[in-house]
């Protein structure tokens, strides 16, 4: 549907994650490596889960539409579980790596904390997940037509972009919370993350009833964001400190 | 219907299939070029997109051309509006992205001919130096109903909608999204169509061939931009002619019987040409069928040469080539061998039993020619009319030979749909009783078949007499209406087509006529397949006098076929304009028609959203971006390391 939609949706979906990358990750090579490795782990999980789904599809009757829909739902939930398994696996890998990193670093202690690794890993998951959700749709948005001739909603592109944005942010927050839960051995946290992920995936299956999927997902995103903020050591005090420091900086300059 | 298509696609993850409906049956109008002009239609290289609007009434025309708020429009034109005035208004408007014409009989006007009023006026025999008062249709306007649309140059694509189901899909999309409610404009999203028919050649043949030559000479991967129109003429004779002996044939005096083999219309490869061409082909085939046995039993002194000329619609490609070859001594006979000529023009729409014989008044001023012609036409003189457009005119340009052109019209064509898509079986009044299978239709004697058989009988007897045969044999010469099976020709397309077929198979109609002639005039031999393909190895067979065809034979009761070898004196001769052999691409004497090349021709429909929605999205982006930058700069403060 022309360049305006293409750029609009691309920036909606990838703008925040790109900005996060530029401002918080790009300068530190170690963070970049962890980001890319995280993306790769997500990719692996997608590959395996899609393999399972693909085999299931080919082995089944392609004319039975309810069966195909059922297989799709199964595929989605299986993929969610596999992604969380790979998130855990990545956590274990990074734990192992911290010891090695501590050994080779100049000053005492590791160059990067587990909390930072959690954030970077989550962002890696989010960026790759967003890319796979959105790239296919973006390439089709370049043409002159928009979705709708078969009765689909004409807001298809923008809702896809918004959903991708939400998912990217959610992966980031889940990364933070998940790693924190693993560190403190709070298994209920991990269960909560997995259930939230399953919930969001389930809500996305409500599409094209966008009123049923987007607002709840954004509410969950906000809630998870707050949870991640408090889980990684933020507090109301630090928030107010942020504002006063800003005021102080403003006054002094 | 669209929902059904969607469910078929529930597992396609491709978003593209949610957006576009691809139209499979596309009938485009393509660009043709001659020495000085380009005609036809062109689209931009990435297709032309427009909001659909169905043109059914005059108010629709106003909407499209001036008052509609969503230009450019892609016009779906009802049959009744496909005429010169509307198309010229579309051409001059910048609000039209393209046109899709509905081809149907409902709403069809009483006449429609997109050809010019004076076909082939510059390459006929009448010019400033020969019969100048008859040139440029000063004497008689042959196609007064012609609107010349085929010879206009449109800068937008024009497609034809022949498939009723596809037209229904378009109408449904229009009714669902683009219909005006109570006179107010329709709301977005709107149904739109995109047509792709980008043509590579521009301006004229000279330019295009020059660019092609440059490509061939200097480019590693040369791109040919256009191809000359070419195919094959089919000819045969009652006495075999030695194909390897070119130039003047000793002791041969030949009567030529000719007709044309091609047609055209506004759209590419659509040329039913029932009255324009099929009537002539079928009549000449029936003539051959009636005449051939008698000429073998009681051979007349002169040879009779039957010829089907291809490409006559485009400035006489086939006949000019044959005349050129004759003059250059590159053909089995030359102009000195030609005694006279009889051509069969449009003979399908005879009212009553009348048949008109046209002759050239200028050449008849020569006494000897006049005597011959009067003998030919049996003392019916038509002195003041010029010849209608016919291959005979090209022969006259080379030599003043006596000749006649037979037609069902006196002054102007009776064919009201000359060279258009509507010149079909119905135009020829060929109707079959309902319930006949195609096999039964093949042998059913329609009135048209009977009429053409009468003409064929007349032609056959005249030819026999012209060739010096004896009158007592005339009663044996009768054309059988059952052989005149028109139906098989009425579904074919007679457009000439392009060059690459020169090396490979000829146009399907050309091949078909060739094989029918071989069937009618040939003899079955008992050669094997390899012998049939290399007959020169056998002393009893002569490849110079005959051509040999390996045919699969009729299907027997249990479905098997027994192929056999047929020997006939039927030949193909190349029908490409001499201008391309002489490399005179700007020639005024010969046809210079070429057809442009293209990459893809396709069409698709989809919905387009409003500009507001498109613009809203970058605005949203701005919002998210500014918030983002503020927050990320403060991460260090917010979080503990």
């Amino acid at each position: 549907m022309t360049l305006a939609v293409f750029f609009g949706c691309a920036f909606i979906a990838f703008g925040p994650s790109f900005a996060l990358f530029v401002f918080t990750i790009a300068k530190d090579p170690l963070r970049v490596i962890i980001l890319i490795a995280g993306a790769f782990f997500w990719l692996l999980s997608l590959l395996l889960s899609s393999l399972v789904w693909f085999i299931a599809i080919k082995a089944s009757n392609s004319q039975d539409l309810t069966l195909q829909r059922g297989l799709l739902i199964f595929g989605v939930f299986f993929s969610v579980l596999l992604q969380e398994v790979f998130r855990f696996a990545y956590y274990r890998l990074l734990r192992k790596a911290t010891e090695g990193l501590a050994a080779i670093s100049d000053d005492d202690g590791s160059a990067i904390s587990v909390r930072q690794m959690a954030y970077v890993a989550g962002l890696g998951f989010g960026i790759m997940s967003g890319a796979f959700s959105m790239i296919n749709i973006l390439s089709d948005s370049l043409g002159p037509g928009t979705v709708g001739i078969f009765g689909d909603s004409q807001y298809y592109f923008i809702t896809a972009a918004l959903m991708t944005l939400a998912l990217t942010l959610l992966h980031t927050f889940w990364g933070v919370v998940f790693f924190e839960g693993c560190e403190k051995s709070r298994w209920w946290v991990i269960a909560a993350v997995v259930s939230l992920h399953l919930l969001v995936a389930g809500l996305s299956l409500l599409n094209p009833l966008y009123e049923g999927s987007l607002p709840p997902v954004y509410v969950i995103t906000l809630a998870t964001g707050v949870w991640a903020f408090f889980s990684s050591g933020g507090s109301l005090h630090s928030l107010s400190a942020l504002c006063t420091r800003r005021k102080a900086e403003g006054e002094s300059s | 219907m669209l929902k059904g298509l969607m469910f078929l696609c529930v597992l396609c993850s491709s978003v593209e299939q949610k957006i576009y409906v691809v139209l499979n049956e596309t009938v485009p109008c393509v660009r043709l070029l001659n020495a000085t002009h380009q005609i036809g239609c062109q689209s931009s290289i990435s297709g032309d997109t427009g909001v659909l609007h169905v043109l059914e009434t005059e108010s629709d025309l106003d909407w499209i051309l001036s008052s509609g708020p969503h230009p450019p429009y892609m016009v779906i034109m009802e049959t009744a509006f496909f005429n010169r005035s509307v198309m010229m208004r579309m051409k001059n408007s910048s609000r039209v992205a393209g046109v899709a014409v509905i081809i149907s009989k409902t709403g069809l006007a009483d006449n429609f001919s997109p050809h010019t009023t004076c076909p082939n006026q510059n390459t006929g025999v009448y010019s400033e130096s020969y019969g100048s008062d008859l040139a440029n249709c000063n004497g008689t306007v042959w196609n007064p109903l012609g609107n010349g649309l085929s010879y206009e140059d449109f800068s937008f694509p024009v497609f034809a909608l022949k498939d009723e189901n596809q037209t229904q899909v378009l109408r449904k999309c229009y009714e669902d999204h683009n219909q005006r409610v109570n006179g107010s404009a329709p709301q977005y999203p709107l149904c739109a169509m995109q047509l792709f028919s980008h043509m590579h050649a521009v301006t004229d043949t000279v330019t295009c061939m020059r660019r092609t030559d440059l490509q061939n000479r200097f480019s590693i991967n040369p791109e040919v931009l256009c191809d000359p129109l070419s195919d094959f003429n089919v000819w045969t004779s009652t006495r075999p002619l030695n194909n390897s002996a070119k130039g003047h044939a000793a002791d041969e005096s030949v009567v030529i019987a000719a007709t044309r083999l091609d047609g055209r219309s506004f759209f590419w490869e659509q040329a039913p040409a029932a009255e324009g061409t099929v009537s002539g082909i079928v009549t000449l085939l029936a003539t051959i069928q009636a005449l051939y046995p008698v000429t073998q039993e009681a051979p007349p002194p002169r040879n009779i040469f039957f010829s089907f000329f291809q490409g006559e619609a485009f400035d006489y490609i086939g006949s000019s080539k044959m005349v050129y070859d004759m003059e250059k001594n590159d053909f089995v006979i030359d102009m000195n061998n030609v005694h006279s000529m009889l051509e069969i023009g449009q003979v399908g729409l005879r009212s009553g039993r009348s048949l008109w014989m046209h002759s050239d008044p200028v050449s008849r001023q020569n006494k000897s020619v006049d005597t011959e012609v009067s003998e030919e036409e049996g003392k019916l003189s038509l002195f003041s009319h010029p010849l209608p457009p016919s291959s005979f005119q090209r022969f006259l340009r080379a030599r003043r030979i006596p000749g006649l052109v037979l037609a069902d019209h006196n002054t102007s064509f009776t064919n009201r749909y000359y060279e258009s898509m509507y010149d079909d079986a119905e135009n020829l009044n060929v109707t079959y009783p309902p319930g006949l299978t195609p096999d039964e239709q093949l042998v059913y004697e329609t009135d048209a078949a009977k009429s053409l058989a009468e003409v064929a009988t007349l032609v056959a007897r005249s030819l026999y007499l012209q060739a010096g045969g004896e009158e007592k044999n005339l009663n044996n010469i009768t054309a059988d209406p059952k052989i005149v099976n028109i139906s098989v020709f009425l579904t074919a397309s007679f457009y000439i087509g392009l060059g690459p077929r020169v090396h490979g198979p000829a146009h399907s109609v050309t091949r078909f006529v060739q094989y029918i002639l071989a069937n009618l005039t040939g003899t079955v031999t008992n050669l094997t397949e390899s012998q049939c393909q290399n007959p020169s190895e056998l002393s009893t067979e002569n490849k110079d006098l005959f051509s040999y065809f390996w045919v699969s034979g009729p299907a027997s009761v249990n479905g098997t076929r027994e192929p056999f070898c047929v020997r006939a004196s039927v030949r193909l001769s190349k029908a490409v304009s001499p201008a391309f052999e002489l490399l005179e691409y700007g020639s005024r004497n010969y046809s210079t028609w070429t057809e442009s090349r293209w990459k893809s021709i396709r069409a698709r429909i989809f919905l387009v959203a409003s500009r507001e929605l498109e613009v809203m999205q970058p605005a949203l982006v701005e919002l998210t971006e500014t918030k983002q930058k503020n927050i990320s700069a403060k991460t260090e403060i917010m979080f503990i390391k």
Side-chain angles (χ1 to χ4, degrees), chain B residues 104-117:
Chain B
S104 81
K105 293 296 171 90
T106 53
L108 178 60
D110 180 50
N111 60 76
F112 178 75
S113 172
H115 212 78
T116 50
T117 50

mmCIF file with all atom_site columns, all heavy atoms in Angstrom, chain B residues 104-117:
data_model
loop_
_atom_site.group_PDB
_atom_site.id
_atom_site.type_symbol
_atom_site.label_atom_id
_atom_site.label_alt_id
_atom_site.label_comp_id
_atom_site.label_asym_id
_atom_site.label_entity_id
_atom_site.label_seq_id
_atom_site.pdbx_PDB_ins_code
_atom_site.Cartn_x
_atom_site.Cartn_y
_atom_site.Cartn_z
_atom_site.occupancy
_atom_site.B_iso_or_equiv
_atom_site.pdbx_formal_charge
_atom_site.auth_seq_id
_atom_site.auth_comp_id
_atom_site.auth_asym_id
_atom_site.auth_atom_id
_atom_site.pdbx_PDB_model_num
ATOM 1   N N   . SER B 1 104 ? -19.297 -8.304  -25.111 1.00 0.00 ? 104 SER B N   1
ATOM 2   C CA  . SER B 1 104 ? -20.482 -9.158  -25.087 1.00 0.00 ? 104 SER B CA  1
ATOM 3   C C   . SER B 1 104 ? -21.432 -8.678  -26.158 1.00 0.00 ? 104 SER B C   1
ATOM 4   O O   . SER B 1 104 ? -21.242 -7.625  -26.753 1.00 0.00 ? 104 SER B O   1
ATOM 5   C CB  . SER B 1 104 ? -21.153 -9.109  -23.718 1.00 0.00 ? 104 SER B CB  1
ATOM 6   O OG  . SER B 1 104 ? -21.942 -7.946  -23.624 1.00 0.00 ? 104 SER B OG  1
ATOM 7   N N   . LYS B 1 105 ? -22.468 -9.462  -26.385 1.00 0.00 ? 105 LYS B N   1
ATOM 8   C CA  . LYS B 1 105 ? -23.421 -9.085  -27.415 1.00 0.00 ? 105 LYS B CA  1
ATOM 9   C C   . LYS B 1 105 ? -24.509 -8.154  -26.874 1.00 0.00 ? 105 LYS B C   1
ATOM 10  O O   . LYS B 1 105 ? -25.199 -7.499  -27.648 1.00 0.00 ? 105 LYS B O   1
ATOM 11  C CB  . LYS B 1 105 ? -24.076 -10.339 -28.016 1.00 0.00 ? 105 LYS B CB  1
ATOM 12  C CG  . LYS B 1 105 ? -23.112 -11.214 -28.801 1.00 0.00 ? 105 LYS B CG  1
ATOM 13  C CD  . LYS B 1 105 ? -22.596 -10.481 -30.013 1.00 0.00 ? 105 LYS B CD  1
ATOM 14  C CE  . LYS B 1 105 ? -21.476 -11.220 -30.705 1.00 0.00 ? 105 LYS B CE  1
ATOM 15  N NZ  . LYS B 1 105 ? -21.914 -12.136 -31.731 1.00 0.00 ? 105 LYS B NZ  1
ATOM 16  N N   . THR B 1 106 ? -24.664 -8.123  -25.539 1.00 0.00 ? 106 THR B N   1
ATOM 17  C CA  . THR B 1 106 ? -25.699 -7.237  -24.985 1.00 0.00 ? 106 THR B CA  1
ATOM 18  C C   . THR B 1 106 ? -25.218 -5.801  -25.084 1.00 0.00 ? 106 THR B C   1
ATOM 19  O O   . THR B 1 106 ? -24.125 -5.458  -24.651 1.00 0.00 ? 106 THR B O   1
ATOM 20  C CB  . THR B 1 106 ? -25.965 -7.558  -23.502 1.00 0.00 ? 106 THR B CB  1
ATOM 21  O OG1 . THR B 1 106 ? -24.709 -7.532  -22.817 1.00 0.00 ? 106 THR B OG1 1
ATOM 22  C CG2 . THR B 1 106 ? -26.615 -8.901  -23.344 1.00 0.00 ? 106 THR B CG2 1
ATOM 23  N N   . GLY B 1 107 ? -26.038 -4.963  -25.665 1.00 0.00 ? 107 GLY B N   1
ATOM 24  C CA  . GLY B 1 107 ? -25.681 -3.560  -25.784 1.00 0.00 ? 107 GLY B CA  1
ATOM 25  C C   . GLY B 1 107 ? -24.788 -3.287  -26.969 1.00 0.00 ? 107 GLY B C   1
ATOM 26  O O   . GLY B 1 107 ? -24.354 -2.153  -27.166 1.00 0.00 ? 107 GLY B O   1
ATOM 27  N N   . LEU B 1 108 ? -24.501 -4.311  -27.775 1.00 0.00 ? 108 LEU B N   1
ATOM 28  C CA  . LEU B 1 108 ? -23.641 -4.086  -28.933 1.00 0.00 ? 108 LEU B CA  1
ATOM 29  C C   . LEU B 1 108 ? -24.392 -3.255  -29.953 1.00 0.00 ? 108 LEU B C   1
ATOM 30  O O   . LEU B 1 108 ? -25.551 -3.496  -30.259 1.00 0.00 ? 108 LEU B O   1
ATOM 31  C CB  . LEU B 1 108 ? -23.248 -5.432  -29.538 1.00 0.00 ? 108 LEU B CB  1
ATOM 32  C CG  . LEU B 1 108 ? -22.377 -5.380  -30.784 1.00 0.00 ? 108 LEU B CG  1
ATOM 33  C CD1 . LEU B 1 108 ? -21.071 -4.686  -30.484 1.00 0.00 ? 108 LEU B CD1 1
ATOM 34  C CD2 . LEU B 1 108 ? -22.122 -6.791  -31.284 1.00 0.00 ? 108 LEU B CD2 1
ATOM 35  N N   . ALA B 1 109 ? -23.686 -2.256  -30.489 1.00 0.00 ? 109 ALA B N   1
ATOM 36  C CA  . ALA B 1 109 ? -24.304 -1.392  -31.479 1.00 0.00 ? 109 ALA B CA  1
ATOM 37  C C   . ALA B 1 109 ? -24.546 -2.184  -32.761 1.00 0.00 ? 109 ALA B C   1
ATOM 38  O O   . ALA B 1 109 ? -24.040 -3.288  -32.937 1.00 0.00 ? 109 ALA B O   1
ATOM 39  C CB  . ALA B 1 109 ? -23.402 -0.187  -31.750 1.00 0.00 ? 109 ALA B CB  1
ATOM 40  N N   . ASP B 1 110 ? -25.259 -1.552  -33.671 1.00 0.00 ? 110 ASP B N   1
ATOM 41  C CA  . ASP B 1 110 ? -25.598 -2.195  -34.932 1.00 0.00 ? 110 ASP B CA  1
ATOM 42  C C   . ASP B 1 110 ? -24.367 -2.474  -35.786 1.00 0.00 ? 110 ASP B C   1
ATOM 43  O O   . ASP B 1 110 ? -24.355 -3.374  -36.619 1.00 0.00 ? 110 ASP B O   1
ATOM 44  C CB  . ASP B 1 110 ? -26.566 -1.268  -35.680 1.00 0.00 ? 110 ASP B CB  1
ATOM 45  C CG  . ASP B 1 110 ? -26.965 -1.853  -37.002 1.00 0.00 ? 110 ASP B CG  1
ATOM 46  O OD1 . ASP B 1 110 ? -27.369 -3.019  -37.007 1.00 0.00 ? 110 ASP B OD1 1
ATOM 47  O OD2 . ASP B 1 110 ? -26.846 -1.150  -38.015 1.00 0.00 ? 110 ASP B OD2 1
ATOM 48  N N   . ASN B 1 111 ? -23.323 -1.664  -35.568 1.00 0.00 ? 111 ASN B N   1
ATOM 49  C CA  . ASN B 1 111 ? -22.094 -1.889  -36.317 1.00 0.00 ? 111 ASN B CA  1
ATOM 50  C C   . ASN B 1 111 ? -20.916 -1.473  -35.461 1.00 0.00 ? 111 ASN B C   1
ATOM 51  O O   . ASN B 1 111 ? -21.022 -0.615  -34.596 1.00 0.00 ? 111 ASN B O   1
ATOM 52  C CB  . ASN B 1 111 ? -22.092 -1.080  -37.614 1.00 0.00 ? 111 ASN B CB  1
ATOM 53  C CG  . ASN B 1 111 ? -22.196 0.402   -37.331 1.00 0.00 ? 111 ASN B CG  1
ATOM 54  O OD1 . ASN B 1 111 ? -21.227 1.053   -36.914 1.00 0.00 ? 111 ASN B OD1 1
ATOM 55  N ND2 . ASN B 1 111 ? -23.369 0.962   -37.508 1.00 0.00 ? 111 ASN B ND2 1
ATOM 56  N N   . PHE B 1 112 ? -19.803 -2.112  -35.683 1.00 0.00 ? 112 PHE B N   1
ATOM 57  C CA  . PHE B 1 112 ? -18.592 -1.699  -34.982 1.00 0.00 ? 112 PHE B CA  1
ATOM 58  C C   . PHE B 1 112 ? -17.393 -2.191  -35.768 1.00 0.00 ? 112 PHE B C   1
ATOM 59  O O   . PHE B 1 112 ? -17.151 -3.396  -35.854 1.00 0.00 ? 112 PHE B O   1
ATOM 60  C CB  . PHE B 1 112 ? -18.560 -2.289  -33.565 1.00 0.00 ? 112 PHE B CB  1
ATOM 61  C CG  . PHE B 1 112 ? -17.309 -1.916  -32.826 1.00 0.00 ? 112 PHE B CG  1
ATOM 62  C CD1 . PHE B 1 112 ? -17.144 -0.646  -32.320 1.00 0.00 ? 112 PHE B CD1 1
ATOM 63  C CD2 . PHE B 1 112 ? -16.273 -2.825  -32.686 1.00 0.00 ? 112 PHE B CD2 1
ATOM 64  C CE1 . PHE B 1 112 ? -15.975 -0.286  -31.677 1.00 0.00 ? 112 PHE B CE1 1
ATOM 65  C CE2 . PHE B 1 112 ? -15.106 -2.478  -32.030 1.00 0.00 ? 112 PHE B CE2 1
ATOM 66  C CZ  . PHE B 1 112 ? -14.959 -1.195  -31.528 1.00 0.00 ? 112 PHE B CZ  1
ATOM 67  N N   . SER B 1 113 ? -16.647 -1.260  -36.334 1.00 0.00 ? 113 SER B N   1
ATOM 68  C CA  . SER B 1 113 ? -15.426 -1.662  -37.024 1.00 0.00 ? 113 SER B CA  1
ATOM 69  C C   . SER B 1 113 ? -14.292 -0.743  -36.594 1.00 0.00 ? 113 SER B C   1
ATOM 70  O O   . SER B 1 113 ? -14.308 0.441   -36.923 1.00 0.00 ? 113 SER B O   1
ATOM 71  C CB  . SER B 1 113 ? -15.619 -1.575  -38.542 1.00 0.00 ? 113 SER B CB  1
ATOM 72  O OG  . SER B 1 113 ? -14.383 -1.783  -39.191 1.00 0.00 ? 113 SER B OG  1
ATOM 73  N N   . PRO B 1 114 ? -13.322 -1.262  -35.860 1.00 0.00 ? 114 PRO B N   1
ATOM 74  C CA  . PRO B 1 114 ? -12.235 -0.406  -35.411 1.00 0.00 ? 114 PRO B CA  1
ATOM 75  C C   . PRO B 1 114 ? -11.196 -0.129  -36.496 1.00 0.00 ? 114 PRO B C   1
ATOM 76  O O   . PRO B 1 114 ? -10.236 0.596   -36.250 1.00 0.00 ? 114 PRO B O   1
ATOM 77  C CB  . PRO B 1 114 ? -11.612 -1.215  -34.266 1.00 0.00 ? 114 PRO B CB  1
ATOM 78  C CG  . PRO B 1 114 ? -11.898 -2.628  -34.606 1.00 0.00 ? 114 PRO B CG  1
ATOM 79  C CD  . PRO B 1 114 ? -13.207 -2.633  -35.332 1.00 0.00 ? 114 PRO B CD  1
ATOM 80  N N   . HIS B 1 115 ? -11.391 -0.704  -37.663 1.00 0.00 ? 115 HIS B N   1
ATOM 81  C CA  . HIS B 1 115 ? -10.436 -0.513  -38.760 1.00 0.00 ? 115 HIS B CA  1
ATOM 82  C C   . HIS B 1 115 ? -10.662 0.860   -39.382 1.00 0.00 ? 115 HIS B C   1
ATOM 83  O O   . HIS B 1 115 ? -11.621 1.563   -39.048 1.00 0.00 ? 115 HIS B O   1
ATOM 84  C CB  . HIS B 1 115 ? -10.652 -1.618  -39.797 1.00 0.00 ? 115 HIS B CB  1
ATOM 85  C CG  . HIS B 1 115 ? -9.388  -2.018  -40.504 1.00 0.00 ? 115 HIS B CG  1
ATOM 86  N ND1 . HIS B 1 115 ? -8.435  -2.836  -39.942 1.00 0.00 ? 115 HIS B ND1 1
ATOM 87  C CD2 . HIS B 1 115 ? -8.924  -1.726  -41.729 1.00 0.00 ? 115 HIS B CD2 1
ATOM 88  C CE1 . HIS B 1 115 ? -7.439  -3.023  -40.792 1.00 0.00 ? 115 HIS B CE1 1
ATOM 89  N NE2 . HIS B 1 115 ? -7.715  -2.352  -41.890 1.00 0.00 ? 115 HIS B NE2 1
ATOM 90  N N   . THR B 1 116 ? -9.801  1.222   -40.315 1.00 0.00 ? 116 THR B N   1
ATOM 91  C CA  . THR B 1 116 ? -9.958  2.517   -40.978 1.00 0.00 ? 116 THR B CA  1
ATOM 92  C C   . THR B 1 116 ? -11.046 2.440   -42.041 1.00 0.00 ? 116 THR B C   1
ATOM 93  O O   . THR B 1 116 ? -11.456 1.359   -42.442 1.00 0.00 ? 116 THR B O   1
ATOM 94  C CB  . THR B 1 116 ? -8.645  2.945   -41.643 1.00 0.00 ? 116 THR B CB  1
ATOM 95  O OG1 . THR B 1 116 ? -8.177  1.838   -42.432 1.00 0.00 ? 116 THR B OG1 1
ATOM 96  C CG2 . THR B 1 116 ? -7.608  3.306   -40.623 1.00 0.00 ? 116 THR B CG2 1
ATOM 97  N N   . THR B 1 117 ? -11.462 3.601   -42.528 1.00 0.00 ? 117 THR B N   1
ATOM 98  C CA  . THR B 1 117 ? -12.500 3.613   -43.549 1.00 0.00 ? 117 THR B CA  1
ATOM 99  C C   . THR B 1 117 ? -11.954 3.160   -44.896 1.00 0.00 ? 117 THR B C   1
ATOM 100 O O   . THR B 1 117 ? -12.697 2.665   -45.731 1.00 0.00 ? 117 THR B O   1
ATOM 101 C CB  . THR B 1 117 ? -13.095 5.017   -43.731 1.00 0.00 ? 117 THR B CB  1
ATOM 102 O OG1 . THR B 1 117 ? -12.003 5.930   -43.891 1.00 0.00 ? 117 THR B OG1 1
ATOM 103 C CG2 . THR B 1 117 ? -13.926 5.414   -42.542 1.00 0.00 ? 117 THR B CG2 1
#
